[in-house]
Amino acid sequence: MRISRRVALALPAAFLAFTLGAANAQGIKIKIGTEGAYPPFNNLTSDGKLEGFDIDIARALCEEMKAECEFVTQDWDGIIPALQAGKFDAIIASMSINEDRKKEVDFTDKYYNTPPAIVVPKDSDIKGVTKEDLAGKTIGAQGSTTHSTYAEKTFTDSDVKLYPTSEEYKLDIINGRLDAVIDDVVVLDEFLKTDDGACCKIAGTLTPIEEIYGPGIGIAVRKGDNDLREKLNAAIKAIRENGKYKEINEKHFSFDVYGD
């Protein structure tokens, strides 16, 4: 689901800048933080290029705003502190809008919303995705995510093991060191389409808890940056109305990821 961290760390720097378009008359320039390790939403290719749904949405928003934008790659567990420190101006990295994060950053409206799911080995005896189904099992999740929060609060009779990236939990379930993993259903489905993912199957999707997952995925900006937040909201609305969002959605998925 993500490229190896070794590839990302081998790049000249953690900062990867891509000019997305000429600045408008006011010279709007925006730095966008993303992880680059969460396919099919954002991912670094082996030659250091960013791709994925988040990236295409970001490019479309920048084009709509007539802004000159750059991407900055940042490890997930430091992405909010990096925004607060001014390393970039907005985070477009499949970040769920929830109350804990809203204490640290401001969010735009959602730009997609898909449910979490559980993946298990194909020969697993796990029959469902309830607390009881997973009791006594070891569950992998990426740390500092809504999925890890859900796992730790819900699967209290399980051993929840946290990883810096999803690439690492995937390696452990492939090699038989985990009984299950939790993540976004789209991310897990993409993993199952790979050769390595042939090991596993989706045991089921989960009903998101509102207090953990919030209303969906949004763009984070620094507290009080209402001007940028409203520009992004207007751009999200515009690409939803002019067909650009639909075009990007259909490029990556066979269903509507915007949600209800």
Side-chain angles (χ1 to χ4, degrees), residues 92-193:
I92 303 183
S94 291
M95 181 172 284
S96 296
I97 303 164
N98 64 26
E99 293 305 314
D100 284 343
R101 289 176 180 150
K102 284 163 70 175
K103 295 173 185 175
E104 300 184 84
V105 298
D106 287 339
F107 281 101
T108 64
D109 299 333
K110 73 167 187 178
Y111 65 96
Y112 82 85
N113 189 17
T114 50
I118 297 287
V119 153
V120 299
K122 283 184 175 176
D123 60 357
S124 174
D125 61 356
I126 296 171
K127 304 301 182 185
V129 295
T130 66
K131 174 182 176 180
E132 292 73 25
D133 291 322
L134 291 158
K137 305 297 186 181
T138 302
I139 306 170
Q142 183 179 3
S144 302
T145 64
T146 49
H147 306 298
S148 64
T149 300
Y150 181 97
E152 289 180 317
K153 288 189 174 183
T154 304
F155 303 124
T156 52
D157 294 330
S158 305
D159 178 17
V160 177
K161 187 175 180 181
L162 304 184
Y163 296 80
T165 72
S166 64
E167 183 72 14
E168 288 157 289
Y169 78 56
K170 285 189 297 181
L171 287 173
D172 270 7
I173 196 166
I174 290 165
N175 292 313
R177 292 188 286 267
L178 289 172
D179 299 307
V181 296
I182 180 173
D183 211 324
D184 185 280
V185 65
V186 176
V187 171
L188 292 174
D189 184 61
E190 194 74 8
F191 164 55
L192 297 183
K193 293 175 183 176

Side-chain angles (χ1 to χ4, degrees), residues 22 32 46 55 60 68 71 82 107 113 142-143 180 189-190 199 202 222 232 246 255:
I32 297 170
S46 58
I55 307 307
E68 180 182 319
F71 285 116
F107 281 101
N113 189 17
Q142 183 179 3
D189 184 61
E190 194 74 8
C199 66
I202 290 180
R222 280 185 290 277
L232 287 163
K246 184 174 185 289
F255 58 95

